[in-house]
Amino acid sequence: MAKKLLIIANWKMNPPSTAKALSLTHKIEKGIPKTTNAEVVIAPPFPFLLPVASALKKSKLGAQNMFWEKEGARTGEISNMMLKNIHVSYCIIGHSERRALGETDEQINKKIKAALMSRIIPVLAIGEKKRIPESSMRRVLETQLKKDLGGISKIAFKNGVIAYEPVWAIGTGLSATPEHARKALHMIQEILIKLWKTPKESLRDPTGQAKNVRTRILYGGSVNAKNAGPFVSKKGGGMDGMLVGGASLNAKEFTGVIKSAINSN
Ligand code: PGA
């Protein structure tokens, strides 16, 4: 059986009320096929985590950010322990919209460590800002991965997730191509192998996939029900799933993403 896909709804700072968050959750839950080879995660804003959690049947709960200390004088922050306490399973860390507000790789690294400490699965978001040549793109991804995963072993990160999100494709309606995503996937696998010093000879198996790297790698950036399938198909992007922003605010569109991903896997 094919590897389980991971599809995450990143609601960002939406919707504006608990009632709307609950209604969206119910509709998404209803639209998720009963037997699915996909793990679905819903990441609402902090105030909706608890109500949304109470409505989840087939999906898991995700957060969009966390602080790296478990308690203390940190006005406005939410800790890893608080999220663990309400059964958050996944946490998006280092999203480009947070990096744009000044979140640094050093802070991201601390947050990933905190997530791992509290057994919340980190979803580390990385990606280049503009369309740039492949060699520059590799440099950007390598710099982010080295800093964000500094001091974190392959074993510690074994359940961790990387979301490749080219910033130029986020919220623009202009997604990357599956071929571009595949290139990024291979780059990330190679960088991780180097970072975690897996022997070179295990770099590729005959299908072109890097071996010995089990880290799930997702694509994000203007994914919708129409374009989702090719990102995860073996002959297309070969990604392990998707991080979905705008399209996850519409239940029909988001469950359409899930269905087309399942059918293409
Ligand atoms: P988008 O956002 O699907 O609206 O492009 C993706 C993300 O930012 O995670």
Side-chain angles (χ1 to χ4, degrees), residues 8 10 12 92 95-97 165 169-173 220-224 243-248:
I8 306 179
N10 174 15
K12 309 191 178 184
I92 302 166
H95 192 281
S96 61
E97 286 154 13
E165 296 206 306
I170 295 179
T172 58
S222 294
V223 171
N224 58 41
L243 181 53
V244 188
S248 71

Side-chain angles (χ1 to χ4, degrees), residues 29-173:
E29 280 285 337
K30 227 170 134 193
I32 300 174
K34 274 208 183 80
T35 49
T36 146
N37 190 31
E39 190 174 354
V40 179
V41 176
I42 299 182
F46 289 131
F48 306 146
L49 281 169
L50 274 176
V52 165
S54 69
L56 297 183
K57 292 191 181 84
K58 298 175 216 151
S59 12
K60 294 199 172 132
L61 190 62
Q64 299 174 17
N65 183 30
M66 69 161 60
F67 197 67
W68 56 82
E69 288 165 9
K70 61 178 195 276
E71 60 190 348
R74 298 292 184 189
T75 305
E77 297 291 356
I78 309 282
S79 82
N80 57 342
M81 296 314 283
M82 291 169 187
L83 296 178
K84 186 67 192 171
N85 191 250
I86 56 165
H87 308 294
V88 164
S89 304
Y90 286 83
C91 184
I92 302 166
I93 295 176
H95 192 281
S96 61
E97 286 154 13
R98 296 202 51 80
R99 291 180 192 256
L101 288 176
E103 188 162 284
T104 65
D105 288 301
E106 195 195 1
Q107 292 169 339
I108 291 166
N109 178 255
K110 286 188 196 170
K111 290 180 181 192
I112 293 174
K113 286 176 179 160
L116 294 171
M117 283 264 292
S118 50
R119 295 188 189 282
I120 291 174
I121 299 173
V123 179
L124 167 61
I126 58 167
E128 74 281 9
K129 284 193 190 138
K130 293 192 188 123
R131 289 180 191 265
I132 44 177
E134 266 176 50
S135 56
S136 319
M137 186 176 141
R138 182 184 290 270
R139 263 200 304 279
V140 171
L141 299 180
E142 186 157 10
T143 306
Q144 289 178 332
L145 286 169
K146 267 190 183 157
K147 290 182 177 171
D148 300 345
L149 296 176
I152 299 168
S153 71
K154 181 180 170 177
I155 305 285
F157 199 75
K158 70 177 188 306
N159 296 321
V161 178
I162 311 263
Y164 168 65
E165 296 206 306
V167 181
W168 48 267
I170 295 179
T172 58

